[in-house]
Amino acid sequence: MPAEPQRLAPSAGGPITSQLGRRGPDYLQGLNEEQRDAVLTIDGPLLVLAGAGTGKTRVLTTRIAHILSTRKARGSEILAVTFTNKAAREMKERIASLVGSSVEGMPWLGTFHSIGARILRRHAELVDLKPAFTILDTDDQIRLIKQLLEAENIDEKRWPARQFAGMLDDWKNRGLLPRDVTPAESGFYANGKGAKLYADYQARLKTLNAADFGDLLLECIRLFRENPKVLEEYHQRFKYMLVDEYQDSNVAQYLWLRLLAQGRPANEANICVVGDDDQSIYGWRGAEVDNILRFEKDFPGAKVIRLERNYRSTANILAAASHLIAHNEGRLGKTLHTDVAEKGETVAVTSVWDSEEEARQIGEEIEQFQRQGETLNSMAILVRASFQMREFEERFITLGLNYRVIGGPRFYERKEIRDALAYFRLVAQPADDLAFERIVNTPKRGLGDSTLKILFDAARHQNVPLLSATRMLIETEELKSKQRTTLRDLVGQFDDWSERLRTIPHAELAEQILDESGYTAMWQNDKSADSPGRLENLKELVRSMEEFETMGGFLEHVALVMDRDSFEADDAVSIMTLHSAKGLEFNTVFLPGWEEGLFPHQRSLDESGRAGLEEERRLAYVGITRGRKRVRISLAQNRRIHGLWQSAIPSRFLDELPAEVVEVKDTGSSYGGYGYGGRTANRFQSVDPFESVYETPGWQRARAQQAQRKGSGPLTIEGELVARSVDLGPGSGYKVGDRVFHNKFGYGEIAALEGNKLTIDFQTGRKKVLDSFIRKA
DNA sequence: CCCCAAGATTTTTTT
DNA sequence: AATCTTGGGG
């Protein structure tokens, strides 16, 4: 956070400990009292509630520097977990600049998933894997599920693989093994086959010598539980534990941490968690804000430090953010304040005709700020959903404005990259059937469904990987001679490559593989417009491999990081989602698309009702607090969704901004503005917040299933209350079966409930209403 | 077995 | 609007 007024004096590298006298070591200079307290309180459990821009990362990194320089522990004895790769990278850099040396000495600083993978590889055999196991991404996962569905004769139309993948994710996030999943939860899917599918899926992963994202934590937990000695080893190793963004941790991560912390009595655990309940934006991924709320219960006597002094934003920006977030009920409550007397610019809210004009408008403003001497690097556009990015990109290309998309379409998700990776994966790990399937006939080798079927059958029959099955089949008469020859050549090539992996550098081998397999030629012969780009990407891929020591190391990076480090060299405007903006800051922040349905997102409201709305609001809070000097919000009156134009309603969040810091602008081309501050104040109260724009049968079915699945009480594991949803006020107080009265629909009976959102059977039919519209009959 | 054309479908956010 | 899927013909 370069904006903090107090800068770190780069440590001179000398024995800092000797300075621990009057004024303390250099790295403590410029910390405020609370920050210093958080850095120096090293022993025992500590919870740091750090609001946006209060120097959270600085505290964490300085704390590590402090532990190191007081020789309380070595780098290899500190476990420091973050949520994202970006955060991990930043921490590494900042520690390095504090301590002066490389961070190679901190092997256990990383994301939950990368550390989980690291631990699993060390003890792979104990969880039925081999150390070189493959980490599957979502795409592989879906393909695998599809195969299982087919094997079980389940109609994928009726029970989409995606849906099951979502369920799997949910279970794994909650730390549930197949045997822990109750029939109530899995039962509805595919007529009760849910739990069995989960078990089959796990078994299949073991055969493939593969783990999915969830397994990186879940299997770790199993490892620790089933092997106390292994766990003991880590208890010995980790003298200090630090966790960043604790509000984003899910149940599995919570259990994982708790196991690791069990080396000492709870009140003496050297665990420090840092978080901000107002920035919890990953509920959809299973994050439990309650983890942070119950920290003091888990670790009795934990010290709690609040960081409330904001070093980032102007008073006006803080006022806007605080006022907005105050509309949330489920929060611990912090008040950010700044010492700077100057209020700064007002927050601009601009209403435009459509998203095209929005892009044009923002483009103009950017150029204007640029003329005033602002760098493009200091500006960012933060969108709710990634489809919004395109319009900006198009506009900026015509303007010739440099931009950079962060977290956009992932490099490693491109088809050509995934194909190439499949080749590499198969060379590194011959049991990787998913990789095999992907590339047997890419480029086209004349191996179609019928041939593949033979391979599949043989593999399943003999219970061996596809590559081995192929190896055997080419010695028989079962295949047509043409296919047999093709496969023989292919298997021969793979043998060759595996051999060479031991002798030549992996990046060089990668190039050879792509050439010899005909993959490069395939794109060279392709005359579509994007094939040159694809070839360029392949080159880039090979180039980036050189940065890794081994093929395995590279593949691990690809699976876990999913994205290249973005080059920061050029001056460019950043375009990214609000989610990926967390932790960053910019002088100028543009927040487009503040319209009902988009932000707050309809889906969030549909799925999680009030809690979803609060999460959206936190997302808005995150967005606003990214700005240092200026925040500019905009909304379009018309937006195109799936090709259809829809007129949009201004976001309710606009009404939640304090009028005194907001300046409403309206471009000439719009009709009537949106009536901020009086003209049509509170016009949104009449809007049904749960009216969905998705009214396809499939969507409604999904929603119905969701309703069944959720609301099954607080989260418990092994009979113990692990986390419960934030109690949003007194609750509805209704239960299924209650008789109720509604002014418009009359008497009815509650069929289902989810938060304050009730499904009620009235005489006129089934309706969804909010509890505030009904009373007990 | 491959290719093309018509038809269906569209998950926000990410490790 | 754009992309993926599916089905029929070559």
Side-chain angles (χ1 to χ4, degrees):
Chain A
M1 288 162 215
E4 290 170 29
Q6 351 82 319
R7 296 294 300 138
L8 300 181
S11 130
I16 305 171
T17 25
S18 64
Q19 300 171 11
L20 266 170
R22 289 185 313 266
R23 50 182 261 270
D26 280 354
Y27 53 81
L28 292 181
Q29 296 307 310
L31 292 178
N32 67 35
E33 203 178 317
E34 296 78 35
Q35 290 175 326
R36 186 181 297 232
D37 198 15
V39 167
L40 295 179
T41 308
I42 284 198
D43 293 305
L46 172 68
L47 166 63
V48 180
L49 292 171
T54 55
K56 170 186 64 108
T57 311
R58 180 161 179 207
V59 164
L60 268 178
T61 50
T62 312
R63 189 181 158 89
I64 290 175
H66 183 60
I67 294 172
L68 291 174
S69 66
T70 52
R71 315 221 182 258
K72 288 280 213 166
R74 284 174 292 177
S76 60
E77 293 168 333
I78 300 173
L79 175 70
V81 262
T82 63
F83 217 67
T84 64
N85 294 295
K86 202 166 59 189
R89 205 182 317 134
E90 192 190 342
M91 265 178 69
K92 278 185 187 164
E93 282 163 13
R94 289 175 64 164
I95 293 170
S97 78
L98 275 175
V99 184
S101 64
S102 80
V103 212
E104 295 309 309
M106 288 207 55
W108 303 101
L109 190 170
T111 62
F112 276 102
H113 291 88
S114 66
I115 293 175
R118 192 185 174 96
I119 292 174
L120 279 187
R121 290 206 194 277
R122 302 177 88 206
H123 313 278
E125 290 78 9
L126 295 174
V127 288
D128 316 305
L129 291 169
K130 280 172 242 139
F133 65 82
T134 308
I135 299 171
L136 299 188
D137 63 20
T138 325
D139 204 76
D140 296 316
Q141 214 182 341
I142 300 278
R143 285 197 294 145
L144 207 161
I145 293 169
K146 281 188 179 162
Q147 291 175 8
L148 291 173
L149 292 180
E150 204 170 336
E152 289 287 323
N153 267 322
I154 296 167
D155 182 9
E156 213 248 313
K157 285 258 168 59
R158 190 159 149 68
W159 308 106
R162 286 188 159 278
Q163 189 190 354
F164 189 70
M167 292 167 58
L168 270 180
D169 229 44
D170 193 47
W171 292 331
K172 292 189 174 185
N173 283 338
R174 286 162 49 200
L176 301 178
L177 292 168
R179 60 177 143 87
D180 304 322
V181 176
T182 62
E185 275 195 279
S186 64
F188 73 90
Y189 186 87
N191 308 318
K193 287 186 178 167
K196 179 182 185 305
L197 279 171
Y198 183 11
D200 289 353
Y201 173 86
Q202 288 305 101
R204 187 83 183 107
L205 286 185
K206 302 300 178 198
T207 326
L208 293 171
N209 190 26
D212 63 18
F213 275 119
D215 280 351
L216 296 180
L217 287 162
L218 190 56
E219 288 291 274
C220 239
I221 293 172
R222 187 164 76 88
L223 168 79
F224 290 154
R225 285 189 173 153
E226 292 174 3
N227 303 276
K229 280 200 174 143
V230 173
L231 180 58
E232 172 65 24
E233 185 191 315
Y234 289 97
H235 286 161
Q236 299 289 336
R237 177 187 298 269
F238 298 137
K239 300 219 168 100
Y240 293 93
M241 296 168 61
L242 296 92
V243 189
D244 192 16
E245 307 279 15
Y246 192 60
Q247 78 282 352
D248 286 334
S249 61
N250 60 34
V251 173
Q253 287 156 340
Y254 168 81
L255 291 172
W256 188 86
L257 286 169
R258 202 177 62 174
L259 281 164
L260 285 169
Q262 272 167 3
R264 292 165 146 266
N267 57 343
E268 290 171 25
N270 290 327
I271 181 169
C272 164
V273 306
V274 181
D276 178 2
D277 53 311
D278 288 335
Q279 292 189 66
S280 160
I281 54 175
Y282 285 101
W284 52 275
R285 206 170 66 182
E288 291 288 341
V289 203
D290 301 351
N291 286 346
I292 204 168
L293 306 180
R294 50 170 286 143
F295 184 79
E296 291 174 78
K297 284 194 202 97
D298 289 324
F299 300 98
K303 186 162 175 175
V304 180
I305 296 176
R306 282 164 192 262
L307 303 181
E308 296 181 310
R309 195 159 109 182
N310 178 292
Y311 293 105
R312 180 186 296 154
S313 310
T314 66
N316 275 344
I317 292 175
L318 286 185
S322 306
H323 203 270
L324 176 92
I325 198 66
H327 288 80
N328 271 3
E329 288 177 13
R331 60 192 293 252
L332 293 173
K334 285 183 304 316
T335 320
L336 291 181
H337 53 83
T338 173
D339 293 349
V340 183
E342 184 80 20
K343 294 259 166 126
E345 288 181 33
T346 52
V347 173
V349 176
T350 309
S351 172
V352 297
W353 175 245
D354 63 7
S355 51
E356 198 187 325
E357 190 189 341
E358 189 175 48
R360 211 179 315 132
Q361 168 79 18
I362 290 179
E364 268 167 33
E365 293 197 52
I366 289 174
E367 290 188 316
Q368 196 186 324
F369 291 135
Q370 198 182 12
R371 280 194 295 273
Q372 292 166 11
E374 298 261 358
T375 62
L376 294 178
N377 278 333
S378 71
M379 298 184 251
I381 300 169
L382 311 182
V383 297
R384 173 70 243 274
S386 38
F387 75 84
Q388 291 173 266
M389 294 180 179
R390 178 189 288 186
E391 207 119 22
F392 291 102
E393 291 195 61
E394 282 170 7
R395 182 66 192 156
F396 293 172
I397 287 170
T398 51
L399 286 178
L401 194 64
N402 242 347
Y403 69 89
R404 139 178 71 227
V405 170
I406 295 175
R410 315 292 192 84
F411 182 70
Y412 294 122
E413 279 171 11
R414 291 161 198 270
K415 182 160 33 132
E416 66 276 18
I417 300 300
R418 295 185 52 87
D419 286 342
L421 288 172
Y423 275 97
F424 307 155
R425 270 165 58 178
L426 198 52
V427 170
Q429 219 266 103
D432 194 336
D433 283 3
L434 291 164
F436 182 92
E437 286 163 45
R438 188 176 182 97
I439 51 84
V440 247
N441 202 30
T442 312
K444 300 273 185 297
R445 296 188 172 93
L447 302 167
D449 288 345
S450 46
T451 313
L452 288 188
K453 176 127 191 351
I454 300 177
L455 297 184
F456 273 123
D457 287 347
R460 197 171 316 145
H461 230 216
Q462 312 197 35
N463 207 11
V464 294
L466 283 169
L467 193 60
S468 319
T470 310
R471 211 182 292 277
M472 290 186 250
L473 276 175
I474 52 181
E475 303 302 332
T476 69
E477 299 294 320
E478 275 186 69
L479 294 161
K480 294 204 203 90
S481 72
K482 182 147 167 281
Q483 276 77 7
R484 189 164 63 220
T485 319
T486 312
L487 282 170
R488 178 175 293 132
D489 292 349
L490 189 64
V491 171
Q493 282 185 308
F494 271 102
D495 289 340
D496 241 25
W497 294 328
S498 306
E499 193 60 40
R500 272 184 257 168
L501 184 58
R502 271 175 254 141
T503 54
I504 66 174
H506 58 281
E508 207 172 304
L509 174 66
E511 204 167 354
Q512 293 175 8
I513 292 176
L514 295 179
D515 288 342
E516 292 169 21
S517 62
Y519 192 75
T520 316
M522 176 180 110
W523 288 115
Q524 281 164 346
N525 298 332
D526 185 304
K527 45 205 174 304
S528 62
D530 50 354
S531 51
R534 294 183 193 274
L535 285 164
E536 198 46 52
N537 288 338
L538 289 172
K539 272 197 197 132
E540 169 75 25
L541 180 72
V542 173
R543 219 176 301 139
S544 69
M545 290 177 77
E546 289 167 5
E547 293 163 30
F548 297 85
E549 294 205 350
T550 62
M551 180 72 94
F554 169 74
L555 291 174
E556 172 109 347
H557 172 85
V558 171
L560 290 174
V561 177
M562 296 299 291
D563 221 347
R564 290 172 304 177
D565 296 348
S566 46
F567 1 55
E568 295 277 325
D570 300 341
D571 192 31
V573 187
S574 301
I575 306 176
M576 67 185 98
T577 63
L578 286 161
H579 282 87
S580 48
K582 188 157 72 149
L584 304 178
E585 58 179 19
F586 301 89
N587 281 345
T588 306
V589 163
F590 295 93
L591 302 170
W594 282 44
E595 300 131 38
E596 283 294 304
L598 177 58
F599 193 35
H601 200 280
Q602 191 62 51
R603 188 161 173 133
S604 201
L605 303 181
D606 287 343
E607 283 184 357
S608 320
R610 175 120 182 216
L613 176 62
E614 296 217 341
E615 180 154 315
E616 295 286 306
R617 194 176 279 119
R618 290 193 291 269
L619 207 43
Y621 173 81
V622 167
I624 295 172
T625 54
R626 296 311 94 193
R628 284 202 283 254
K629 288 165 59 178
R630 106 177 37 95
V631 170
R632 327 211 108 214
I633 297 168
S634 58
L635 62 148
Q637 286 150 26
N638 298 284
R639 194 169 287 275
R640 201 165 33 190
I641 301 180
H642 300 322
L644 304 170
W645 284 98
Q646 309 235 310
S647 66
I649 300 166
S651 168
R652 69 190 77 187
F653 295 154
L654 291 167
D655 274 342
E656 298 175 358
L657 298 172
E660 57 284 7
V661 306
V662 172
E663 186 186 349
V664 180
K665 301 181 176 189
D666 207 319
T667 58
S669 54
S670 58
Y671 298 172
Y674 74 100
Y676 185 86
R679 256 192 290 172
T680 46
N682 293 329
R683 60 190 274 186
F684 315 127
Q685 284 191 345
S686 58
V687 175
D688 175 2
F690 301 116
E691 178 98 33
S692 178
V693 295
Y694 305 102
E695 289 301 345
T696 60
W699 172 251
Q700 294 193 328
R701 197 179 335 119
R703 252 202 309 180
Q705 281 159 1
Q706 213 108 33
Q708 269 178 36
R709 199 148 55 92
K710 300 223 164 150
S712 46
L715 218 39
T716 54
I717 284 186
E718 292 166 0
E720 178 198 1
L721 184 72
V722 166
R724 71 192 141 66
S725 293
V726 178
D727 185 7
L728 298 170
S732 62
Y734 295 103
K735 59 183 192 299
V736 174
D738 281 357
R739 292 268 299 156
V740 296
F741 180 77
H742 185 282
N743 276 331
K744 195 161 135 205
F745 304 127
Y747 290 96
E749 189 179 308
I750 298 184
L753 67 176
E754 187 184 347
N756 59 343
K757 188 178 162 191
L758 312 174
T759 308
I760 302 175
D761 288 325
F762 293 105
Q763 309 242 309
T764 48
R766 179 168 283 201
K767 301 258 193 283
K768 279 199 174 188
V769 298
L770 295 180
D771 61 358
S772 52
F773 290 102
I774 58 162
R775 57 183 166 80
K776 288 209 159 118

